[in-house]
Amino acid sequence: MTLAPLLAQHREQILDRWFDLIVRTYPGLSAVFLKKNHRWGNPVGTNIHGAIEKLFDELLQPEASNDLAPLLDAVVRIRAVQDYRPSEAVAILLFVKHVVRERFAAEIESGRIPAKELHEFDNKVDTMMLIAFDIYTKCRNTVMENRLEDFKRNFTGLMRKHKIIVEYPKFDSGTSESGDG
Amino acid sequence: MAWNVKPEELLQYDYKVPQKNWMDVPPEFKPGTWCYPAKPEILEYLNKATKGDFPHIREWVPTDVDWKLPEDWRERIKKGFRERLDKYRSFKVFMDVCVRCGACADKCHFYIGGGDPKNMPVLRAELLRSIYRGEFTLAGKILGRLAGARKLEEDVVKEWFLYFYQCTECRRCSLFCPYGIDTAEITMMARELLHLVGCNINWILEPASNSNRTGNHMGIQPHAYYGMMEFMCDDIEEITGVKVNCPVNEKGHEVLFITPSGDIFADPGTYTYMGYLMLFHEIGLDYTWSTYASEGGNFGLFTSDRMMKKLNAKMYAEAKRLGVKYIIGGECGHMWRVLNQYMDTMNGPADFLETPVSPITGTRFESAAGTSMIHITEFTSDLMKHGKLKLDPSRNDDKIVTFHDSCNPARAMGLLDEPRYVIQNVCNNFVEMPEDTIREKTFCCAGGSGLNTDEFMEMRMRGGIGRGNALRHVQQKNGVNTLATICAIDRATLPPLANYWAPGVEVYGVHELVANALVMTGEKPREVDLRQEPLPGME
């Protein structure tokens, strides 16, 4: 027995548990609301649920696809403007490690799941975490940029009139694995 | 701290679940969730100008324990509460009639995005209702908490300040209320009560004060206003080769045009402003602008009924002074709530004006018989319907456009189809966002009711998820790159919202799109749009 088929076999249960733990990070009554399958009325719940489903499938693949960063973006972009510390915002991605350990405790204890495979799985989650850290930082940066732009926007017309505006093309920090989503 | 968080600790990650009754959870003032208090000098001026509506002026900070409330703060609020219950039958009904069915609970964008239970409209209103019961009803006085009642304490005032300035008065929740409780009016009452003890925010009162003083939110004086208009006219001439007329403060014209002052300084509103100038020039409208009534917005709506009335009155005073027949109002949001829902019984009916009749098409706008003021998209769509404009929509072919219904024109006025009709006449690519996020059910930009300030950015982004989510959807599915809107606050709040939730989508006023497509008499071949960027095919 190896980990991969087990993960695939228990996909629904793992995802349910993972999502349930995420929902618990929201204040009391929201738990009911966040599980509503209403794409436009419940954007937090549906977007996070949709993303972790696909993230889980990514974890089952030997190589991550190009969707990995955008999927992480969908989760982190939401968490980054909610009332969480940075660590709390991204910690929900780590939950999957613990859900897997909880679910397959017996198999891990007895050595039926090789340590190497578990280690590889952990590594994938850690990689997700690092990408999420980049995205989180970018999101927060966007919020601060927005504040700055907001302040300037009040007077942009006036600044153009008096020619006190200098426009540079937007600095492109590159995309690669850090993912703009 | 321990080095390793044990798995079982992570799995019990439930500390967020409040263990207490909501009444026992004190308000927490975190950065980005509250707006800065009003500056004393602003309040001094306003208090004088209103003969005492803004008492107890001081410097204070919401994060301080001591808010330096007046000694008799409790009596002031109780007296004010009682007065308002007696004055507004609707307020009393709203306090009594809610059965806490919860239909509104998950309709607020701030609750949807942040999950704070006190942002559920039902609970936000309960912050006020619990005091109503505790102080004004027999059952509440005797049964206390059993009847959902509580006593007025300082924390209650703090809670009101936090949460009633986390309501954008968008009224999306009211749409779903089986009793039709107008949550915006509950927020308005709470804000009025807060004024009595000197708790208010600068982002609302400074514009209100400016508007009272110079006629517009930005505090622009006539010469500066006119200077900016001339600059725009020069830009228009550069782009089109046509020198448009720019009548200001002229008596004896048929129409007075009033629009938000945000559009004269702030991009992208400036381009919408240029759009108006071009359209009116092209059809030869007999009209004037005014530097005195140079504000369509009315931050009095977010302040108090008296302030709202005062600021609304100046538009009509100016219409009377200039001797016009009626008013056309520009692309503004909350101005239309004031106009459509309050003006008639507040300063109206405007019997010295006439029912608007389009001089170009002859259409009589009966719906505006009482206020004598029509919305620019009503006017323009009528021109288009009668084929009075020469349009080249291909000039907007680089845009895939969607439309954000602004809360007030949509829900407080029912202006749903006219802007769409206008857009579809000037743009070949138009896509609707999902049904649950448009028209009456539109999501707020999360910066309405005077909360469009940068220190509130955290909450604005949080509350912006409803709109952002729908926008992102059409961006990914249909390639939408343009978000059109008919509100000046939207033109200020949606660019950051789009930048966060759907990067790459640009915000446009509807009349900017009109002006791009408008073929003007005597114009030179156009190469650039109003933003001086190449038109499609001219790159």
Side-chain angles (χ1 to χ4, degrees):
Chain A
M1 188 190 291
T2 55
L3 185 58
L6 273 178
L7 291 175
Q9 198 184 335
H10 294 264
R11 181 178 184 273
E12 298 312 314
Q13 293 93 324
I14 295 170
L15 280 169
D16 278 354
R17 179 77 171 132
W18 189 7
F19 189 60
D20 190 51
L21 291 172
I22 294 171
V23 164
R24 284 200 213 177
T25 66
Y26 289 89
L29 290 167
S30 300
V32 183
F33 162 62
L34 284 171
K35 289 187 177 172
K36 281 190 185 171
N37 188 21
H38 190 320
R39 192 167 173 193
W40 313 115
N42 174 21
V44 174
T46 52
N47 275 311
I48 293 183
H49 191 268
I52 64 165
E53 270 188 322
K54 290 180 187 143
L55 282 171
F56 185 74
D57 294 339
E58 288 285 337
L59 289 171
L60 299 183
Q61 304 303 320
E63 294 289 325
S65 78
N66 289 337
D67 290 340
L68 186 63
L71 287 170
L72 289 165
D73 187 282
V75 176
V76 176
R77 192 164 293 272
I78 293 170
R79 301 282 293 185
V81 287
Q82 292 179 324
D83 186 15
Y84 297 107
R85 288 194 299 265
S87 58
E88 291 173 341
V90 290
I92 58 170
L93 296 167
L94 286 181
F95 289 178
V96 69
K97 271 193 194 179
H98 303 296
V99 173
V100 166
R101 276 177 167 70
E102 179 192 52
R103 177 129 211 116
F104 304 121
E107 289 84 347
I108 294 167
E109 184 71 21
S110 65
R112 274 181 288 164
I113 295 174
K116 183 170 169 282
E117 285 188 21
L118 202 60
H119 183 65
E120 274 170 15
F121 179 76
D122 284 353
N123 276 347
K124 288 179 184 172
V125 178
D126 293 346
T127 306
M128 280 198 331
M129 200 62 185
L130 292 174
I131 300 170
F133 175 64
D134 285 349
I135 296 171
Y136 180 89
T137 313
K138 281 193 178 179
C139 285
R140 292 307 309 175
N141 200 36
T142 304
V143 174
M144 291 320 288
E145 272 176 9
N146 277 349
R147 275 196 76 172
L148 198 64
E149 290 298 320
D150 217 43
F151 178 74
K152 284 198 281 187
R153 195 176 295 110
N154 288 337
F155 309 101
T156 37
L158 196 64
M159 285 154 83
R160 270 191 294 119
K161 180 178 179 227
H162 293 284
K163 300 191 189 336
I164 46 176
I165 206 161
V166 184
E167 285 186 56
Y168 287 106
K170 272 213 163 167
F171 175 63
D172 183 7
S173 55
T175 44
S176 72
E177 260 189 277
S178 53
D180 277 336
Chain B
M1 60 175 276
W3 255 112
N4 291 307
V5 181
K6 295 190 181 75
E8 54 270 30
E9 284 172 22
L10 265 174
L11 291 173
Q12 285 164 5
Y13 197 80
D14 58 358
Y15 65 90
K16 278 270 173 183
V17 180
Q19 303 297 325
K20 295 177 184 170
N21 183 298
W22 67 265
M23 288 190 193
D24 300 321
V25 181
E28 231 184 308
F29 287 82
K30 296 183 179 173
T33 65
W34 50 275
C35 304
Y36 300 152
K39 289 187 277 197
E41 63 267 31
I42 297 293
L43 287 166
E44 299 279 1
Y45 167 78
L46 273 178
N47 200 39
K48 212 169 145 192
T50 56
K51 298 189 172 61
D53 280 359
F54 299 91
H56 198 58
I57 299 161
R58 74 215 180 280
E59 284 210 359
W60 64 288
V61 187
T63 45
D64 284 349
V65 179
D66 181 11
W67 279 24
K68 304 179 198 164
L69 295 177
E71 290 217 334
D72 60 342
W73 67 269
R74 209 178 254 111
E75 287 67 40
R76 287 191 196 201
I77 288 181
K78 279 192 209 171
K79 184 166 167 276
F81 213 134
R82 167 56 65 203
E83 280 171 6
R84 281 160 185 80
L85 287 168
D86 292 344
K87 184 175 173 189
Y88 300 111
R89 175 80 186 142
S90 54
F91 183 42
K92 185 149 193 334
V93 170
F94 295 161
M95 288 293 100
D96 281 323
V97 80
C98 173
V99 291
R100 284 168 273 179
C101 69
C104 62
D106 57 358
K107 305 303 185 294
C108 172
H109 48 280
F110 287 128
Y111 176 70
I112 289 172
D116 183 340
K118 286 179 187 172
N119 275 326
M120 290 191 279
V122 55
L123 190 44
R124 197 189 285 114
E126 204 66 17
L127 304 180
L128 210 56
R129 278 195 195 104
S130 55
I131 301 303
Y132 164 71
R133 292 192 203 104
E135 302 288 349
F136 299 103
T137 68
L138 187 63
K141 280 178 185 168
I142 297 170
L143 296 171
R145 275 202 184 193
L146 278 175
R150 60 176 174 166
K151 290 289 169 194
L152 189 54
E153 302 297 342
E154 227 173 291
D155 265 356
V156 172
V157 174
K158 294 182 178 177
E159 200 176 42
W160 286 358
F161 180 80
L162 186 62
Y163 290 104
F164 288 111
Y165 284 101
Q166 276 184 10
C167 165
T168 52
E169 302 186 2
C170 77
R171 293 164 77 243
R172 188 169 190 267
C173 51
S174 302
L175 189 72
F176 295 88
C177 175
Y179 290 98
I181 294 173
D182 188 330
T183 314
E185 290 194 354
I186 294 180
T187 296
M188 286 152 78
M189 291 299 105
R191 290 185 182 183
E192 286 195 10
L193 294 177
L194 287 167
H195 287 306
L196 301 174
V197 293
C199 298
N200 29 42
I201 68 167
N202 200 63
W203 196 258
I204 292 176
L205 292 190
E206 187 157 345
S209 153
N210 284 341
S211 204
N212 193 62
R213 190 169 50 86
T214 67
N216 56 66
H217 289 165
M218 310 283 286
I220 313 163
Q221 294 180 3
H223 57 282
Y225 192 91
Y226 188 65
M228 200 61 208
M229 286 181 86
E230 281 186 312
F231 171 64
M232 289 188 185
C233 291
D234 290 346
D235 269 3
I236 293 170
E237 192 175 5
E238 198 182 320
I239 296 164
T240 65
V242 178
K243 180 85 188 163
V244 297
N245 66 333
C246 175
V248 178
N249 297 339
E250 291 177 5
K251 288 188 179 177
H253 290 290
E254 188 174 355
V255 175
L256 168 64
F257 182 69
I258 302 178
T259 201
S261 69
D263 286 345
I264 197 150
F265 276 170
D267 296 339
T270 45
Y271 308 113
T272 305
Y273 197 104
M274 286 157 69
Y276 303 140
L277 284 165
M278 289 163 66
L279 175 71
F280 296 150
H281 175 88
E282 180 57 25
I283 61 171
L285 186 70
D286 177 23
Y287 86 117
T288 183
W289 297 76
S290 162
T291 55
Y292 170 63
S294 47
E295 181 60 67
N298 185 334
F299 272 31
L301 174 67
F302 313 138
T303 308
S304 66
D305 61 336
R306 284 153 64 107
M307 200 70 218
M308 164 168 62
K309 183 176 178 175
K310 196 169 192 293
L311 297 181
N312 172 261
K314 76 161 193 278
M315 303 200 303
Y316 284 88
E318 183 67 342
K320 197 171 194 174
R321 187 181 75 87
L322 294 173
V324 300
K325 289 183 183 163
Y326 63 94
I327 307 171
I328 298 180
E331 296 183 14
C332 178
H334 64 277
M335 159 162 83
W336 294 101
R337 168 145 211 214
V338 177
L339 249 296
N340 202 50
Q341 302 206 326
Y342 301 118
M343 160 61 198
D344 261 333
T345 51
M346 193 166 62
N347 290 318
D351 45 14
F352 56 91
L353 296 172
E354 296 175 9
T355 300
V357 176
S358 171
I360 318 296
T361 66
T363 301
R364 195 176 157 85
F365 295 91
E366 287 293 352
S367 59
T371 60
S372 298
M373 183 158 174
I374 51 166
H375 192 284
I376 180 75
T377 59
E378 293 178 284
F379 181 76
T380 309
S381 56
D382 174 60
L383 290 174
M384 289 170 168
K385 184 88 182 166
H386 288 86
K388 299 291 181 187
L389 299 177
K390 198 173 171 199
L391 299 164
D392 177 5
S394 73
R395 288 179 188 166
N396 286 318
D397 272 356
D398 54 339
K399 297 174 183 68
I400 301 172
V401 186
T402 192
F403 178 65
H404 163 79
D405 288 273
S406 308
C407 305
N408 283 304
R411 278 190 282 269
M413 193 187 182
L415 191 80
L416 304 165
D417 293 313
E418 288 86 345
R420 289 179 165 79
Y421 183 80
V422 172
I423 294 170
Q424 283 169 297
N425 267 281
V426 297
C427 299
N428 287 322
N429 314 308
F430 177 74
V431 181
E432 288 280 16
M433 284 185 276
E435 192 195 332
D436 283 347
T437 70
I438 55 166
R439 298 175 76 91
E440 291 94 339
K441 287 189 263 184
T442 186
F443 272 113
C444 183
C445 66
S449 85
L451 307 181
N452 51 320
T453 169
D454 71 291
E455 72 259 21
F456 199 61
M457 191 58 76
E458 197 76 27
M459 281 304 282
R460 283 169 53 189
M461 292 301 108
R462 199 176 289 175
I465 191 174
R467 172 47 70 230
N469 184 44
L471 183 60
R472 176 92 167 186
H473 172 70
V474 289
Q475 183 190 29
Q476 288 174 341
K477 188 174 164 215
N478 308 96
V480 163
N481 58 10
T482 301
L483 179 60
T485 181
I486 49 167
C487 165
I489 289 183
D490 279 333
R491 283 190 285 278
T493 55
L494 291 177
L497 184 149
N499 190 35
Y500 190 82
W501 292 110
V505 177
E506 297 282 331
V507 176
Y508 283 74
V510 169
H511 276 76
E512 179 183 352
L513 299 171
V514 170
N516 276 340
L518 184 70
V519 180
M520 298 179 78
T521 314
E523 71 176 15
K524 66 177 187 187
R526 285 224 223 153
E527 292 172 358
V528 292
D529 64 12
L530 294 197
R531 302 185 182 193
Q532 310 246 18
E533 282 159 16
L535 287 171
M538 298 285 180
E539 295 88 351

